[in-house]
Amino acid sequence: KPSRRLPLDVSTPALGHATLMAASSATLVPCHDEEQGDESANDASLLARSAGADVGTGMPFWKVWMVVGLQTVAFSLFAGALLQKVSAAEDQAVADLQQQRSSLEAEVRNLNQEKGQASKDWSARHPYQVVAHVEGHKLPEMYGRVKEKTIWAYWYHAESCPSAANCTLPAHIKLCAETVGHNRGGFDFRLLRRDEVFRYVSGTELPVRWHDLLPAQQKDSLMNALLARYGGGAWGISL
């Protein structure tokens, strides 16, 4: 603060000295008052803190610590619930994985059993029987029961004539078959369907993949086998 100025008369030495002393004392007084004021404020702050109050917020310390404690408890509860939820989800995931593992292990056991059974069946069967799906070196069922004078024909269609019991001939094929049967003379006429073939010939007399051939190729190879075993004549019924 600016000091108070006193009139100074330098003409009189004694008066001037007294005036300087007075001015000096007057100038130091305000500074001494400010220091006392600061010390008084510090004392008041210490008293307030000793009484348990926060000077910045005006809230007692025990309330501050209570709020902090409640927040800590709430956070702990939330964290515990979250960890419990995560742990439950992990346990469920582990249980699901264990169940899947058990199912896969059971499936593997079943496959191994089937493989072992298939290996036994394979070793017990003749190689030709495995490939051709028929027994080799076995006379067909109708061998010795068919006349040499026989007219042979073959017809197969996957939809309209898959077997002898379920066969519907097209109109023109049916007409051809009836015509041959009416004019056969002293010959027998046999129209074979696919499921009747192995009653007349064995698998060794036909190509290995006979079932996979086209119907026309099946007919040609079958006619060769029938004529070689029984004789007679082959007729293309679709001609």
Side-chain angles (χ1 to χ4, degrees):
K1 293 180 181 180
S3 59
R4 289 177 294 177
R5 296 181 180 180
L6 298 177
L8 181 61
D9 188 1
V10 297
S11 59
T12 306
L15 181 58
H17 179 73
T19 304
L20 288 174
M21 294 299 294
S24 299
S25 62
T27 303
L28 294 175
V29 169
C31 295
H32 181 71
D33 293 340
E34 288 181 357
E35 293 178 356
Q36 288 183 351
D38 294 338
E39 293 178 356
S40 299
N42 292 333
D43 294 340
S45 176
L46 291 174
L47 290 175
R49 290 179 179 176
S50 64
D54 187 357
V55 178
T57 59
M59 183 184 294
F61 277 138
W62 66 272
K63 289 185 178 181
V64 174
W65 286 112
M66 181 180 292
V67 172
V68 173
L70 291 175
Q71 291 178 350
T72 303
V73 172
F75 177 78
S76 300
L77 293 175
F78 174 76
L82 182 61
L83 290 176
Q84 185 176 4
K85 185 176 181 180
V86 172
S87 178
E90 291 179 351
D91 293 340
Q92 183 63 33
V94 170
D96 294 339
L97 290 175
Q98 290 178 349
Q99 184 176 2
Q100 293 178 3
R101 179 180 178 182
S102 300
S103 300
L104 291 175
E105 289 177 349
E107 185 175 356
V108 169
R109 287 194 297 269
N110 294 333
L111 290 175
N112 289 332
Q113 292 177 359
E114 293 178 359
K115 181 180 178 181
Q117 185 64 33
S119 299
K120 293 180 181 178
D121 296 341
W122 181 278
S123 60
R125 298 169 63 184
H126 192 275
Y128 182 86
Q129 183 180 4
V130 174
V131 176
H133 303 287
V134 293
E135 295 182 5
H137 307 291
K138 181 180 179 181
L139 292 176
E141 175 187 348
M142 298 301 294
Y143 182 73
R145 300 165 60 181
V146 178
K147 294 192 325 180
E148 183 178 355
K149 298 175 62 175
T150 301
I151 300 174
W152 301 97
Y154 173 76
W155 183 256
Y156 169 75
H157 191 275
E159 297 180 358
S160 62
C161 189
S163 63
N166 184 21
C167 182
T168 302
L169 297 175
H172 67 288
I173 300 298
K174 185 177 181 181
L175 179 60
C176 291
E178 291 176 353
T179 302
V180 174
H182 181 72
N183 298 288
R184 61 187 174 85
F187 283 78
D188 287 343
F189 175 61
R190 295 181 183 269
L191 176 60
L192 303 185
R193 280 76 168 184
R194 185 169 181 174
D195 61 326
E196 298 175 321
V197 170
F198 291 102
R199 295 181 60 197
Y200 292 87
V201 296
S202 63
T204 57
E205 299 173 278
L206 295 175
V208 174
R209 302 294 182 183
W210 183 82
H211 289 87
D212 299 329
L213 299 177
L214 297 176
Q217 297 171 342
Q218 290 180 356
K219 187 261 298 182
D220 292 340
S221 58
L222 176 61
M223 292 299 109
N224 291 333
L226 290 171
L227 294 177
R229 178 170 288 279
Y230 299 100
W235 179 56
I237 194 172
S238 61
L239 299 177

